[in-house]
Amino acid sequence: MSATPLHMSPEQLHDYLSRARWFGGKGREFEVKEHRSVPLTESTWIELIEVSYATGDQECFQLPLVAYDWPQDRLAHALIEFVDGQAIYDAVHDREAMAVWLKGFAQQTTSGGLEFHLVGDPELDLSAHSTLFQGEQSNSSVTFGESSQLKVFRKVTPGVNPDVEILEALTTADCPHIAALYGWVSLRDGDDTIHLAILQEFIRTATEGWQVALASVRDLLAEGDLHPDEVGGDFAGEAHRLGMSICEIHLTMRNEMGEWTTDGTSLATSMLARLDSAITAQPLIAEFRDQLSEMFNRLQDIEEPIVTQRIHGDLHLGQTLRDTMAWKVVDFEGEPAKPLAHRQLPDSPWRDVAGMLRSFDYAARAAADDVDPMGNAATQAQYRAAEWRARNQAAFLAGYTEALGRELTPWEDTLLEAYAADKTIYEAVYETRNRPDWLHIPLDALRRISTGQIREQHFDNPG
Ligand SMILES: Nc1ncnc2c1ncn2[C@@H]1O[C@H](COP(=O)(O)OP(=O)(O)O)[C@@H](O)[C@H]1O
Ligand SMILES: [Mg+2]
């Protein structure tokens, strides 16, 4: 290893992690246990930081760095520390450093265990300037001009990152519903490989599915007394096409990556276990325990093998992009909180479908909650948002089954219902920890689920 990287202290790294937007351990007590540097060039390197939490678990985070002999005004916001008279910055903010990374792909650089891989023969514009994506993100994405986007994984683990593996399979199969994979960066670490970043097609003309959906609910709420199918911003056509696209992605994943089976009893067992640990994290869920357990127990009556395959694993409207010609899906990393080994496991595609159905609830509620809570307007807004949710959930499901070429079997109904409940329980724990203001969204949904209202809504005719 070259001597170039400057040595930063655990305290300096701790301080930077605590204020980094992407740091997944925010709010938890942690210490920097150890860290090491992987050099890229004279002045750019990657710091891998092992963090250990008060609870005993550990995570590794990636920090691409760049050092300058004198402070760079344009990077003032990304300054980490001064070390030995040099200014060290978080490199994703720096055009010069990101150009080094892009060149690494073009030259398929390998050095000191670090490897830049290309998929196929993408045309890379090496002169393109980089821009850091400013949205809410657990990783850091940087766009190069209008052609490609680099996603630097912040939390890294030894093993194959599903984003790399799945995108490679879908890119090779020419799936039109993803941003094609151009390449990835890995680090060889003894017998292990750690995936550090991916480079993929940048969907320049896209709008985030979540934003399109929110705008549609807001349009509806702004229209005095029209129904969702009567307003200009109706989303049902989009929801239907999105359902078809998700199904096509699933079918391609199954073709390219194989299929397995599981059985109702083991699904029931794991959902029941998750329910109990969720109740420990959020005691308010206990109110619904009996009905939810009953629902999960019904899975044991499924007699045929349940087909599983690789799935997205963390599917919601925020992972979709509405492009001019098609819906695109991004972020195949799986549920971020799960260990890597779990995220690689095959699961039922109905888990993804349930994730999207839940997301329609979130979009509806997020928009309706913005309405001034005083007076009648808010009640009206909630009622109409619920109409929007039901209509779009049904349209999405109709699109999915249309691409599938058949309706759901009765036991698939049971399965989908259980996955939707399982997801909602997960959300309640997630919101408790991260966004207490939104906790009422999954809790209200759990109330509907336990009174049997969900089934009715999901299978409503989109009209
Ligand atoms: N290839 C792409 N082209 C255009 N925008 C993208 C692309 N990939 C991601 N985005 C945008 O960046 C956001 C975050 O990307 P994502 O891959 O979901 O990152 P994270 O893993 O941090 O959640 C997405 O919600 C989307 O709006
Ligand atoms: Mg994402």
Side-chain angles (χ1 to χ4, degrees):
M1 211 176 266
S2 112
T4 330
L6 295 160
H7 186 75
M8 301 184 65
S9 71
E11 293 73 31
Q12 289 169 330
L13 293 169
H14 183 283
D15 184 51
Y16 187 66
L17 287 181
S18 316
R19 55 196 162 94
R21 165 148 63 171
W22 44 262
F23 179 54
K26 223 178 265 123
R28 297 169 72 185
E29 208 179 303
F30 72 95
E31 60 178 89
V32 171
K33 208 170 135 250
E34 54 185 84
H35 63 101
R36 62 188 166 122
S37 311
V38 183
L40 186 52
T41 63
E42 285 275 289
S43 57
T44 59
W45 73 100
I46 295 166
E47 203 72 35
L48 291 176
I49 310 166
E50 292 284 346
V51 160
S52 84
Y53 297 99
T55 48
D57 35 336
Q58 296 185 9
E59 287 179 331
C60 181
F61 289 90
Q62 170 181 203
L63 191 51
L65 294 171
V66 57
Y68 284 94
D69 290 338
W70 52 85
Q72 308 286 305
D73 282 350
R74 66 193 164 88
L75 291 177
H77 59 288
L79 178 71
I80 298 180
E81 279 297 338
F82 289 97
V83 175
D84 297 344
Q86 302 230 5
I88 303 183
Y89 298 95
D90 188 333
V92 300
H93 295 262
D94 182 29
R95 282 181 178 172
E96 309 290 334
M98 287 298 101
V100 170
W101 280 63
L102 188 58
K103 210 164 98 191
F105 283 104
Q107 301 179 340
Q108 299 189 252
T109 300
T110 59
S111 97
L114 205 57
E115 295 176 4
F116 286 76
H117 306 261
L118 280 186
V119 174
D121 188 18
E123 223 174 277
L124 303 180
D125 176 5
L126 294 184
S127 64
H129 278 181
S130 68
T131 313
L132 181 64
F133 175 74
Q134 293 297 345
E136 199 54 49
Q137 224 194 340
S138 53
N139 294 299
S140 292
S141 293
V142 168
T143 312
F144 294 102
E146 299 196 329
S147 55
S148 62
Q149 174 167 301
L150 176 76
K151 173 153 98 168
V152 174
F153 299 128
R154 290 300 193 166
K155 191 171 98 183
V156 294
T157 331
V160 177
N161 187 309
D163 224 1
V164 175
E165 192 185 15
I166 295 173
L167 281 177
E168 188 182 21
L170 293 176
T171 301
T172 313
D174 278 330
C175 175
H177 299 299
I178 53 151
L181 183 68
Y182 290 165
W184 74 90
V185 185
S186 61
L187 176 68
R188 207 130 18 96
D189 186 28
D191 289 339
D192 287 328
T193 295
I194 305 176
H195 283 146
L196 297 176
I198 54 170
L199 185 72
Q200 69 181 148
E201 177 189 2
F202 176 55
I203 314 292
R204 184 177 55 85
T205 48
T207 318
E208 252 189 60
W210 170 254
Q211 296 300 342
V212 185
L214 266 191
S216 162
V217 192
R218 289 191 182 124
D219 269 3
L220 172 65
L221 300 182
E223 289 293 340
D225 26 55
L226 296 178
H227 291 285
D229 56 338
E230 297 164 342
V231 297
D234 183 25
F235 192 71
E238 294 290 3
H240 189 274
R241 276 187 289 280
L242 180 57
M244 293 190 77
S245 310
I246 300 297
C247 184
E248 284 161 21
I249 292 176
H250 280 155
L251 294 174
T252 311
M253 280 167 101
R254 192 191 294 191
N255 263 337
E256 299 295 315
M257 307 180 84
E259 64 174 66
W260 295 261
T261 57
T262 184
D263 59 86
T265 304
S266 51
L267 272 184
T269 308
S270 56
M271 287 184 186
L272 287 165
R274 274 199 292 272
L275 170 61
D276 281 332
S277 70
I279 291 174
T280 314
Q282 176 46 273
L284 289 174
I285 303 172
E287 185 188 338
F288 314 110
R289 188 177 187 283
D290 290 350
Q291 292 89 338
L292 292 168
S293 326
E294 202 185 300
M295 175 185 291
F296 294 148
N297 276 319
R298 273 204 292 277
L299 293 173
Q300 304 192 33
D301 301 336
I302 299 177
E303 275 163 10
E304 51 252 86
I306 297 169
V307 176
T308 59
Q309 59 164 94
R310 297 301 295 271
I311 62 167
H312 184 283
D314 185 28
L315 195 59
H316 52 83
L317 285 161
Q319 312 278 38
T320 67
L321 294 169
R322 177 70 183 88
D323 195 17
T324 42
M325 299 300 285
W327 278 97
K328 305 263 182 183
V329 174
V330 298
D331 202 357
F332 286 82
E333 262 195 291
E335 205 176 281
K338 280 192 186 159
L340 183 68
H342 285 220
R343 291 190 266 129
Q344 289 165 331
L345 293 178
D347 202 336
S348 164
W350 298 112
R351 176 187 288 286
D352 281 348
V353 174
M356 284 302 304
L357 295 177
R358 290 292 312 133
S359 196
F360 288 115
D361 185 29
Y362 265 77
R365 294 301 300 270
D369 286 355
D370 280 347
V371 175
D372 183 359
M374 304 304 278
N376 268 339
T379 322
Q380 261 286 326
Q382 295 293 349
Y383 176 79
R384 291 150 61 72
E387 258 187 4
W388 185 95
R389 175 193 69 227
R391 174 174 172 79
N392 288 290
Q393 285 176 332
F396 174 81
L397 204 53
Y400 192 94
T401 49
E402 187 177 319
L404 195 60
R406 62 172 180 81
E407 290 302 313
L408 276 77
T409 63
W411 66 261
E412 281 174 325
D413 270 8
T414 310
L415 205 52
L416 178 56
E417 201 177 35
Y419 273 114
D422 183 60
K423 176 76 183 183
T424 315
I425 294 164
Y426 164 86
E427 290 163 359
V429 175
Y430 179 88
E431 303 305 2
T432 301
R433 294 193 176 134
N434 298 285
R435 301 182 296 197
D437 284 357
W438 278 19
L439 176 60
H440 64 283
I441 300 180
L443 286 183
D444 286 353
L446 286 176
R447 187 162 296 113
R448 289 198 305 274
I449 291 170
S450 20
T451 51
Q453 288 176 47
I454 281 285
R455 171 175 292 269
E456 208 177 296
Q457 272 153 10
H458 284 172
F459 307 111
D460 236 4
N461 192 317

